[in-house]
């Protein structure tokens, strides 16, 4: 292994394959800290790297899609390998000059990946910190001589958002500069300088308060701190001695068994004092209840890497989501060439992959991280012949994993538990009706496609002729889609109503039709073209689309509500009622046992078990609004799946909260789309060891309550969360800062948002600290009351205040039940060192709490007027001018604390967090 490492660190020339171009020869090498692969030359310079942490897998040979595209190239497979990395499973396809080099790199990378997955959280924290300090030093060393002068230090201070007088910086510089090479700092001296700069006044005062004003803690004092402040039980002297040995820096202190300020800082910044409960990293909930008593992590169109119209389908996406804890994955099956079924998104230009490859990938990755059952949601569009092929592959590849005969359920009317189904794959699909003779090989079943929401005329069908090629149509849609996605990124990313599709349909109607018409008229001399009508189809049925969008918008005046429920919604319902049927073969039907797909117009409980009701978000939204309690009761016996509207072609995600609030188990999201909704999903499922199953609260499994009530559970105690926001550490400049590191030093403030039942949803924020992102101090207390803590999420957001609003710096979202009391660091997601230091107290409250019947209670009397964030209502867009005014108003005034937000205000103030 060491030989591999040294070869990789000295670098290897390889050909980097790209789609559509010739290969590029680059020098690839492992950096000295063994944390990332870099290459040169590259236009990205410093950013041309892949972090080892982000690598999902390394495959040998010519297996990837890019290699298949370059099929004519006669590369030796033993010289080829592919690295899959990042959230979108991007591939880096490389060709070495001989098989020996390829083997060296594959072995070395697999060794590094294994090391990272085996190390404990403390080692990882230490490794990332050391790497961050080293990287900071290297980036500040502009001339690359391994030394920093005072000017480079001043520039670094600005980059790190430190606002110290130059006199103070020079003084610390001189104290750290101890070697004969005066006037510059080498890496060791810089490390000392960085420690001086990072001395935490807040932690020093905390240490003094428990150490009787000494500069260290004895074993007894440390034990007292852990019991009283950190609320830890069973604190033994041995445990405290272990902390001193692990975290203390000074050998002298170790000998005397005391913890100095540096050791105390290391301990407080370690995973032991993280805000997330370490017990929740493992499965700790009761896993013996029926499946319908759990929320189940679910993915929509799992195979897609991007949007729903043009993006690549990849088998690697299944590997990624399964290892991320997802337990319900979707496979859209269509007839493929040579009798081989393929997987892709129907009526679109997404690429196709073989069903067989998908099944093999699922089989390989389903149970690597955990053994709880995987639900395979099959959407079948195949002919009988290819359905038989699907059934054959499922049986051959999954084998015993499909055999459910040994599964014990205490009651035949109850679904089995995740524990009983460990290691099993459940096929979710259509089942032949029981009325059919047992020996019939096939039969008719209803065919509901998730794209049925979109009118037939709006589906892309391959009917190009007379000069318009698929390529032309594709490039038009691609340009349009890219500009729309850019537009939606410029718009508020925290906006729960990011339905860019309305803009898309409008734009395709107005722009694409005209454009194509001009292009094609010049090419074909005025002949009528199919592809022109294909583009026109996007714009046809404007009324139906308007109806759909009005269906989605929470309109204030009754007049438009009457309109939408009149003629136009009628049109939508007629559309929904046009029932199609499809032939289904017995072999595929027999594989469906506990998860029979039933498309839902409404909640109908016919008393049978084993049905999975599927709702598009539009219909589920209606059901939640009109029959929340009935929906909750249904979800106590059966499974319900909610999937994104077919109009979300940018793969944006809806807000899952309203559906979780009524007990829907399978809320399917686009895992490839980062952002607020996926962050809520991650936080929800991290509670139980990220195993994909989270137990629903007891009140949702038995009995019922109205989630929209102002006091939904009067008999249960409420929780009071008292959050003292003390300070921030190493907060960077906003990710989309115009001037990058040269931009102004930030003016940070912290916002805390509670997300759960509508009555619990609210936000509060601290004041702004001017010109300090490195160690701002707020020392402010925010208090929240929570009616149903079991499903509440707590979201910490850091913003940079500026004159016309605010810029997003970072966030961390956690389940309320995963918070630990005491002094804790909240590390911001995706940022190495950035954190906020808080103190958490949680109390129980009985009876009505007066604070609740303030602003929020007022708005909550009428369930029709809940916030967009909580009930899934959609708020109308305002003009840009109006928005700027609102955003200015939304930033807190200097030194003035922001009051609690009412429900409607929450809905109107849209944040621009990514």
């Amino acid at each position: 292994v060491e030989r591999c490492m040294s070869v990789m660190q000295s670098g290897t020339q390889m050909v980097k394959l790209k789609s559509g171009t010739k290969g590029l020869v680059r020098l690839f090498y492992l950096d000295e800290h063994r944390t990332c692969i870099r290459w040169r030359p590259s236009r990205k310079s410093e950013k041309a790297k892949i972090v080892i942490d982000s690598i999902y897998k390394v495959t040998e040979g010519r297996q990837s899609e890019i290699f298949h595209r370059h099929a004519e190239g006669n590369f030796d497979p033993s010289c080829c390998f592919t690295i899959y990395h990042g959230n979108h499973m991007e591939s880096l396809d490389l060709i070495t000059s001989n098989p020996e080099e390829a083997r060296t790199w594959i072995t070395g990378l697999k060794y590094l990946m294994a090391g990272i997955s085996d190390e404990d959280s403390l080692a990882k924290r230490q490794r990332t910190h050391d790497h961050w300090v080293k990287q900071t030093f290297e980036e500040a060393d502009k001339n690359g001589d391994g030394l920093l002068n005072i000017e480079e230090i001043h520039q670094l201070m600005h980059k790190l958002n430190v606002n110290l007088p130059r006199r103070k910086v020079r003084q610390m510089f001189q104290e750290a500069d101890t070697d004969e090479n005066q006037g510059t700092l080498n890496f060791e001296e810089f490390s000392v300088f960085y420690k001086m700069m990072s001395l935490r006044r807040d932690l020093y005062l905390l240490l003094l308060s428990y150490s009787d004003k000494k500069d260290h803690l004895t074993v007894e004092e440390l034990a007292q701190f852990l019991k009283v402040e950190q609320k830890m039980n069973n604190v033994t002297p041995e445990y405290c001695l272990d902390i001193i040995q692990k975290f203390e820096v000074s050998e002298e202190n170790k000998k005397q068994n005391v913890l100095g300020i540096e050791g105390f800082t290391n301990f407080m910044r370690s995973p032991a004092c993280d805000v997330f409960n370490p017990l929740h990293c493992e499965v700790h909930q009761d896993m013996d209840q029926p499946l319908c008593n759990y929320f189940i992590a679910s993915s929509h169109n799992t195979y897609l890497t991007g949007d729903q119209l043009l993006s690549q389908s990849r088998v690697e996406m299944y590997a990624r989501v399964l290892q991320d804890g997802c337990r319900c994955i979707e496979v859209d099956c269509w007839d493929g060439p040579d009798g081989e079924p393929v997987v892709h998104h129907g009526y679109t230009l997404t690429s196709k992959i073989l069903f067989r490859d998908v099944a093999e990938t699922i089989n390989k990755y389903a149970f690597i991280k955990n053994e709880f059952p995987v639900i395979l949601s099959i959407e079948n569009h195949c002919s009988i012949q290819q359905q038989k092929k699907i059934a054959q592959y499922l049986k051959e590849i999954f084998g015993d994993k499909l055999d459910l005969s040994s599964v014990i359920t205490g009651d035949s009317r109850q679904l089995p538990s995740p524990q009983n189904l460990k290691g099993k794959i459940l096929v979710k699909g259509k089942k032949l009706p029981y009325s059919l003779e047992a020996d019939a090989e096939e039969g008719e079943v209803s065919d509901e496609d998730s794209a049925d929401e979109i009118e037939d005329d709006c589906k892309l069908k391959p009917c190009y002729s007379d000069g318009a090629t698929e390529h032309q149509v594709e490039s038009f849609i691609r340009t349009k889609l890219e500009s729309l996605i850019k537009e939606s990124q410029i718009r508020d990313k925290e906006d729960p109503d990011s339905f860019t599709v309305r803009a898309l349909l409008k734009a395709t109607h107005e722009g694409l039709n005209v454009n194509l018409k001009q292009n094609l008229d010049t090419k074909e001399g005025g002949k009528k073209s199919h592809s022109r009508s294909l583009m026109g189809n996007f714009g046809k049925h404007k009324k139906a689309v308007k109806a759909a969008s009005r269906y989605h918008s929470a309109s204030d005046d009754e007049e438009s509500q009457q309109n939408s429920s009149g003629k136009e919604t009628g049109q939508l319902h007629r559309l929904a009622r046009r029932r199609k049927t499809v032939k289904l073969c017995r072999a595929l039907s027999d594989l469906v046992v506990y998860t029979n797909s039933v498309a839902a117009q409404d909640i109908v409980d016919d008393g049978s078990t084993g049905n999975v009701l599927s709702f598009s978000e539009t219909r589920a939204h209606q059901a939640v609004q009109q029959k929340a309690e009935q929906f909750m009761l249904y979800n106590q016996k059966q499974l319900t799946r909610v999937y994104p509207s077919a109009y979300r072609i940018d793969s944006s995600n809806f807000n899952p909260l309203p559906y979780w609030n009524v007990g829907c188990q399978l809320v399917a999201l686009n895992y490839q789309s980062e952002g607020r909704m996926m962050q809520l999903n991650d936080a929800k499922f991290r509670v139980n060891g990220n195993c994909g199953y989270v137990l629903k609260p007891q009140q949702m499994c038995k009995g019922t309550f109205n989630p929209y009530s102002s006091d939904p559970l009067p008999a249960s105690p409420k929780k009071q969360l008292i959050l003292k926001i003390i300070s921030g550490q190493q907060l960077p400049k906003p990710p989309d800062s115009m001037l990058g590191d040269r931009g102004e030093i930030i003016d940070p403030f912290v916002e805390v948002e509670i997300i759960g039942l509508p009555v619990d949803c609210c936000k509060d924020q601290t004041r702004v600290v001017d010109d300090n992102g490195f160690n701002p101090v707020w020392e402010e207390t925010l208090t929240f009351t929570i009616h149903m803590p079991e499903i509440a999420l707590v979201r910490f957001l850091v913003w940079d205040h500026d004159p016309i609003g605010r810029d997003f710096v970072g966030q961390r979202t956690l389940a309320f039940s995963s918070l630990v009391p005491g002094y804790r660091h909240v590390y911001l997601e995706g940022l190495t060192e950035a954190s906020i230091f808080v103190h958490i107290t949680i109390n129980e409250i009985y009876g009505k709490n007066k604070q609740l019947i303030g602003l929020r209670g007022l708005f909550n009397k009428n369930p029709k007027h809940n916030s967009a964030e909580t009930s899934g209502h959609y708020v109308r867009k305002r003009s840009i001018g109006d928005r700027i005014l609102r955003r200015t108003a939304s930033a807190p005034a200097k030194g003035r604390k922001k009051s609690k937000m009412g429900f409607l205000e929450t809905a109107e103030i849209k944040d621009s967090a990514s």
Side-chain angles (χ1 to χ4, degrees), residues 60 76 156 192 349 388 451 501 534 591 639 657 659:
E60 305 173 41
D76 175 357
L156 175 64
V192 172
L349 301 170
K388 287 180 179 165
V501 68
L534 173 119
L591 295 178
L639 297 175
L657 255 295
Y659 310 110

Side-chain angles (χ1 to χ4, degrees), residues 520-568:
L520 297 170
D521 280 354
T522 54
K523 282 197 176 161
E524 52 175 83
K527 273 189 298 182
K528 186 178 182 317
S529 151
H530 267 296
S531 104
R532 187 176 359 157
S533 66
L534 173 119
M535 282 337 225
N537 287 343
F538 254 125
K540 271 188 201 168
H541 292 287
K542 219 170 177 188
K543 266 190 184 161
V545 173
K546 263 191 185 155
S549 77
R550 205 177 275 164
Y551 212 43
H552 274 285
S553 66
S555 159
D556 300 330
D557 49 304
E558 283 176 28
E559 185 191 353
S560 74
Q561 283 190 348
Q562 284 161 3
N563 277 350
S564 74
S565 61
K567 203 169 55 195
E568 291 167 325

